[in-house]
Amino acid sequence: MPASKAAPKPRADLTARAFTERLLALQDDEELRKIQRYFKSGEGEYGHGDTFIGVRMGSIFALAREFAELPPKELEKMLDSDIHEVRVGALSVMAKQYPLKTTTDARRKELYDLYLRRHDRINNWDLVDLAAWHVVGPWLVDKPRAVLHKLAKSKNMWERRTAVLATFSFIRRGEFDDTLRIVTVVLKDKEDLIHKAAGWALRVVGDKDRAVLEAFLDAHAAQMPRAMLSNAIEKFAPADKARYRAM
């Protein structure tokens, strides 16, 4: 009988250090100026204290594709970085690695666990958006979702945003209950970034089932923050928009 093939060795360059070195080589001062205008990093703003170096998001995503098989221990090292773009890279790799045919369920569980365990390092809207619906939501589609309802009540706004955006995986399957319950929890949220995420989720519910969205709006539009309502009714006809805004 032919000898069995040995398992392939992990690539030696699949390390947090190698990714970071490649990333630093892409630094651009003009991009840094753009990023500093785009993210609210001033005193008292949500991004205060974060360190940006100036790398285009498209360049980070391309690099993440090259490093799509980075092991979780290396991804955690990247999450520990003070450099925002390195953490962007970590979350982007997680999102690209999760759906790969070569990714085992055990590895997907590791990625899900890593995201939740190190949520302290997922501390900006772009970081949440990169992996909440590509890792957290997909893992929970056939599992209990109590963790999201707990996150929706968190004092941490980024955990609340994760709770909302992870439900996109359920919406795509025509399952709306978790989204509507979580949006109800954050109706009185003080953060505009939560209002926008919730409105976005509601709009996608409406794309799948307009009647479900209208029933929710009939019950809650009068209490919804403006940004949440505006995002939810973005695709409505002018007359329908006016009706819900007048409630």
Side-chain angles (χ1 to χ4, degrees):
M1 295 178 61
S4 59
K5 293 183 179 179
K9 293 182 179 180
R11 279 171 44 193
D13 63 331
L14 283 179
T15 65
R17 180 175 180 177
F19 186 100
T20 302
E21 288 176 351
R22 293 277 302 279
L23 184 74
L24 292 173
L26 298 170
Q27 191 278 333
D28 180 79
D29 289 341
E30 178 58 29
E31 187 64 25
L32 177 58
R33 286 189 284 272
K34 292 178 182 177
I35 289 173
Q36 289 172 331
R37 291 194 298 268
Y38 189 62
F39 285 95
K40 296 183 178 181
S41 55
E43 185 74 35
E45 295 181 313
Y46 64 76
H48 179 64
D50 216 347
T51 300
F52 297 88
I53 61 171
V55 181
R56 290 180 62 253
M57 290 298 107
S59 298
I60 301 176
F61 299 156
L63 191 58
R65 283 192 291 272
E66 291 186 46
F67 284 77
E69 296 181 357
L70 265 172
K73 67 177 183 178
E74 298 299 320
L75 290 167
E76 184 160 9
K77 292 176 184 178
M78 291 168 64
L79 287 175
D80 277 326
S81 175
D82 290 334
I83 299 172
H84 183 88
E85 289 93 337
V86 174
R87 300 201 305 283
V88 169
L91 275 298
S92 183
V93 168
M94 291 168 70
K96 295 181 189 314
Q97 184 176 137
Y98 190 97
L100 292 176
K101 292 181 179 179
T102 54
T103 302
T104 64
D105 282 345
R107 171 60 64 85
R108 292 188 177 106
K109 177 65 160 57
E110 285 185 89
L111 296 174
Y112 166 81
D113 287 342
L114 176 60
Y115 182 104
L116 292 183
R117 180 166 54 80
R118 297 311 312 271
H119 213 309
D120 61 309
R121 305 302 296 156
I122 304 171
N123 59 354
N124 213 318
W125 63 265
D126 60 325
L127 301 176
V128 172
D129 294 8
L130 278 168
W133 59 51
H134 293 297
V135 175
V136 179
W139 180 254
L140 294 174
V141 292
D142 58 353
K143 299 175 183 68
R145 300 163 186 177
V147 62
L148 297 184
H149 297 275
K150 181 179 180 180
L151 290 176
K153 299 176 183 178
S154 172
K155 293 180 180 180
N156 183 314
M157 67 181 288
W158 309 121
E159 292 185 352
R160 300 197 302 275
R161 189 172 173 99
T162 288
V164 174
L165 295 184
T167 69
F168 275 60
S169 295
F170 318 148
I171 297 171
R172 293 191 186 102
R173 295 160 59 93
E175 301 171 8
F176 311 127
D177 288 351
D178 292 286
T179 302
L180 300 181
R181 287 172 58 195
I182 287 170
V183 170
T184 301
V185 169
V186 301
L187 273 176
K188 297 182 179 180
D189 204 289
K190 296 180 180 180
E191 299 292 344
D192 186 61
L193 286 169
I194 305 301
H195 303 164
K196 291 177 180 178
W200 189 5
L202 289 173
R203 185 175 75 234
V204 179
V205 168
D207 289 342
K208 297 287 286 187
D209 193 323
R210 174 71 174 253
V212 170
L213 173 57
E214 290 184 343
F216 185 87
L217 293 173
D218 289 342
H220 299 289
Q223 292 80 44
M224 291 171 69
R226 183 172 182 83
M228 188 186 299
L229 180 60
S230 293
N231 275 276
I233 62 177
E234 182 179 302
K235 296 183 179 180
F236 282 22
D240 292 328
K241 288 181 179 180
R243 176 166 61 88
Y244 281 113
R245 285 173 175 157
M247 289 178 69

